[in-house]
């Protein structure tokens, strides 16, 4: 046929172009589909992330609403007025001394007793008292005389009794000695535990802030003046009464141990009677002593007799300017021996007791006086009847 082209190359070219066009279209469709799918997937994930974020925010908001509010900032404290009924420990409770039969051991007791207010003025009405401390083996057989001595003067004295722990008899409830025994330990004559007992008595007495003067007595001691005279003499004294003197020979300097040096030297060594009277400042010094007492505990043994040397030495070294260097307890050493004379009923007369009252002279607050002793020892229990028959403390 005229004009018809049957060239094979031309047909092949058309066929190839048709296939090429088909593949181009298919590629576009596939690319579009892939992009569309990717868009759908991303959209789904973003939607889930938004939901999770919203839930998290909602959870945090709920927790914040249910949690307790933060504590308010500290505010200034204004003390309540004295008329307030707010419960708590006030000055009255603080000042009240514990029961004498407390649960403190010696270390705790001495620590508490050594505490000292730095302000000297008392913020309460204080009636100064005299602490009468009895160091005994067993019962106070002269108690009736002391009962008479204390009668009518409540609130002006305190009583403390250190007896052998094995002694378990109690005083009548009507007695001034009832319930006045402190936690005690065994004491041996001439041993350092005698000083430990004295410090124990002082520490217990110091727990009462009203105690101003402290007297050490034995079960064989008697008062030789009435309470008013004794109280006035002690409370108004400007000095303490711890006997202290330097004595040559075997029962004085001969008892010194060189191992005490350099803390205590031979020149500082003193001797004196065990029975003392002291003010509150000195009593605190004795119970607080951790420098000299350990030396006596370690080296004053055997024939050293710590009760005759520790206090005279310590007081002279640390409180010599405030000490009278004499004792207020009269004893009779004229018969010799390791112990003073003991007086029976037949030896106790009015003349004898009056001689004890004014038979010597001494210094008191810078003046000469004939009242040098307020107490005396050693008196047997049967002497008690003599006091009741023929002698009045007044």
């Amino acid at each position: 046929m005229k004009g018809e082209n049957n060239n094979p190359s031309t047909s092949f070219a058309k066929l190839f172009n048709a296939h090429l066009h088909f593949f181009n279209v298919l590629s576009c469709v596939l690319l579009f589909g892939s992009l569309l799918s990717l868009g759908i997937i991303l959209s789904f994930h973003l939607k889930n992330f938004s939901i999770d974020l919203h839930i998290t925010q909602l959870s945090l908001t709920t927790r914040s609403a249910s949690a307790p509010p933060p504590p308010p900032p500290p505010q200034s404290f204004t003390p309540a007025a004295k008329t307030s009924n707010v419960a708590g420990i006030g000055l009255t409770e603080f000042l009240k001394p514990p029961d004498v039969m407390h649960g403190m051991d010696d270390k705790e007791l001495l620590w508490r007793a050594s505490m000292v207010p730095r302000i000297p003025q008392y913020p309460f009405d204080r009636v100064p008292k005299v602490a009468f401390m009895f160091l005994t083996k067993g019962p106070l057989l002269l108690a009736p005389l002391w009962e008479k001595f204390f009668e009518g003067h409540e609130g002006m004295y305190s009583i403390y009794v250190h007896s052998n722990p094995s002694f378990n008899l109690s005083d009548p409830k009507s007695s001034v000695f009832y319930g006045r025994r402190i936690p005690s330990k065994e004491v041996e004559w001439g041993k350092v535990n005698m000083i430990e007992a004295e410090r124990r008595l002082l520490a217990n007495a110091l727990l009462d802030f009203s105690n101003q003067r402290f007297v050490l007595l034995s079960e064989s001691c008697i008062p030789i003046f009435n309470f008013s005279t004794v109280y006035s003499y002690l409370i108004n004294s400007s000095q303490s009464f711890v006997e202290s003197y330097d004595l040559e020979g075997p029962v004085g300097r001969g008892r010194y141990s060189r191992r005490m040096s350099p803390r205590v030297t031979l020149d500082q060594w003193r001797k004196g009677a065990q029975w003392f009277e002291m003010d509150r400042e000195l009593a605190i010094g004795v119970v607080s002593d951790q420098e000299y007492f350990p030396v006596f505990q370690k080296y004053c043994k055997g024939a050293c007799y710590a009760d005759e040397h520790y206090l005279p030495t310590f007081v002279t070294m640390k409180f010599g300017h405030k000490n009278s260097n004499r004792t207020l307890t009269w004893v009779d050493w004229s018969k010799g021996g390791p112990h003073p004379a003991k007086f029976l009923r037949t030896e106790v007369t009015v003349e004898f007791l009056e001689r004890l009252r004014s038979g010597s002279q001494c210094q008191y607050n810078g003046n000469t006086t004939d009242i040098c002793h307020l107490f005396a020892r050693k008196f047997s229990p049967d002497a008690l009847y003599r006091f009741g028959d023929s002698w009045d403390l007044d």
Side-chain angles (χ1 to χ4, degrees):
M1 181 182 279
K2 187 178 176 178
E4 183 176 353
N5 189 5
N6 293 324
N7 189 345
S9 60
T10 302
S11 298
F12 176 77
K14 289 180 177 180
L15 180 62
F16 176 78
N17 289 333
H19 281 82
L20 181 62
H21 179 71
F22 172 77
F23 280 113
N24 287 336
V25 173
L26 181 62
S27 298
C28 290
V29 170
L30 292 174
L31 178 62
F32 175 79
S34 298
L35 292 174
L36 180 61
S37 299
L38 180 62
I40 293 172
I41 292 172
L42 289 174
S43 175
F44 177 79
H45 280 288
L46 289 174
K47 183 177 182 180
N48 286 344
F49 175 77
S50 176
I51 293 174
D52 290 341
L53 179 63
H54 178 71
I55 292 173
T56 301
Q57 292 176 340
L58 181 61
S59 175
L60 291 174
T61 303
T62 304
R63 289 182 183 178
S64 299
S66 61
Q75 300 178 357
S76 59
F77 175 73
T78 303
K82 291 186 177 180
T83 56
S84 160
N85 292 324
V86 177
I89 298 178
L91 184 62
T92 301
E93 290 77 12
F94 176 76
L95 295 175
K96 184 180 180 181
D99 293 337
V100 290
M101 194 54 71
H102 51 71
M104 291 182 283
D105 60 26
D106 282 354
K107 186 176 181 180
E108 296 167 338
L109 173 65
L110 294 171
W111 176 82
R112 180 169 176 181
S114 67
M115 292 189 289
V116 184
R118 299 294 298 272
I119 299 176
Q121 295 81 17
Y122 292 92
F124 58 95
D125 294 331
R126 176 179 181 263
V127 177
K129 296 192 295 187
V130 177
F132 293 85
M133 307 177 301
F134 293 85
L135 181 57
T136 74
K137 296 178 182 178
L140 277 164
L141 297 178
L142 294 172
L145 178 64
W146 286 103
E147 298 271 4
K148 182 179 180 181
F149 172 78
F150 290 120
E151 186 178 0
H153 301 284
E154 292 75 12
M156 302 177 72
Y157 66 87
S158 301
I159 296 175
Y160 304 88
V161 180
H162 187 295
S163 59
N164 194 299
S166 62
F167 176 70
N168 53 18
L169 296 179
S170 61
D171 298 287
K173 289 187 177 181
S174 59
S175 171
V176 294
F177 295 98
Y178 178 77
R180 302 310 301 171
R181 267 191 280 169
I182 68 170
S184 306
K185 295 184 179 180
E186 186 176 357
V187 173
E188 301 169 272
W189 179 76
K191 299 293 183 66
V192 74
N193 56 22
M194 183 82 74
I195 307 300
E196 293 170 356
E198 294 174 7
R199 282 160 53 98
R200 200 173 295 125
L201 279 164
L202 281 171
N204 277 277
L206 282 167
L207 298 183
D208 187 340
F209 284 94
S210 295
N211 287 332
Q212 183 63 30
R213 308 291 299 203
F214 305 80
V215 186
L216 182 67
L217 303 160
S218 75
E219 66 265 48
S220 65
C221 283
I222 65 166
I224 57 178
F225 289 95
N226 61 25
F227 182 88
S228 298
T229 301
V230 171
Y231 179 87
S232 176
Y233 195 99
L234 298 179
I235 293 297
N236 294 315
S237 175
S238 61
Q239 293 185 308
S240 293
F241 299 89
V242 179
E243 187 177 50
S244 177
Y245 55 91
D246 185 9
L247 181 66
E248 299 282 351
V251 297
R253 289 196 170 203
R255 294 176 177 175
Y256 172 77
S257 172
R258 292 181 180 178
R259 291 179 294 178
M260 293 184 173
S261 180
R263 188 68 66 198
V264 179
T265 66
L266 180 60
D267 291 337
Q268 296 169 324
W269 185 253
R270 295 294 184 271
K271 182 178 179 176
Q274 173 186 2
W275 314 103
F276 62 78
E277 191 284 332
M278 60 181 63
D279 63 12
R280 189 172 184 89
E281 180 185 0
L282 178 51
I284 293 172
V286 172
V287 302
S288 306
D289 176 27
Q290 294 184 306
E291 183 177 0
Y292 300 99
F293 183 61
V295 175
F296 280 80
Q297 284 181 306
K298 190 173 183 179
Y299 299 118
C300 190
K301 298 179 180 180
C304 177
Y305 303 111
D307 58 297
E308 294 183 2
H309 294 282
Y310 167 65
L311 276 180
T313 302
F314 172 74
V315 172
T316 299
M317 293 175 65
K318 306 298 291 185
F319 297 87
H321 63 290
K322 295 194 64 179
N323 187 36
S324 66
N325 296 321
R326 63 184 178 91
T327 179
L328 295 178
T329 302
W330 181 91
V331 293
D332 181 10
W333 289 99
S334 62
K335 298 181 180 180
H339 301 284
K342 188 172 185 177
F343 297 94
L344 304 176
R345 176 182 179 180
T346 55
E347 299 172 285
V348 179
T349 65
V350 174
E351 293 74 23
F352 168 71
L353 294 170
E354 288 293 349
R355 191 165 61 250
L356 298 185
R357 281 182 161 185
S358 56
S360 57
Q361 288 189 333
C362 56
Q363 291 293 308
Y364 175 79
N365 289 348
N367 300 313
T368 302
T369 179
D370 59 359
I371 300 179
C372 300
H373 299 100
L374 303 179
F375 314 98
R377 66 186 299 267
K378 301 172 63 171
F379 290 83
S380 63
D382 65 353
L384 183 64
Y385 300 101
R386 177 70 70 176
F387 298 127
D389 293 342
S390 59
W391 190 60
D392 194 333
L393 287 174
D394 294 331

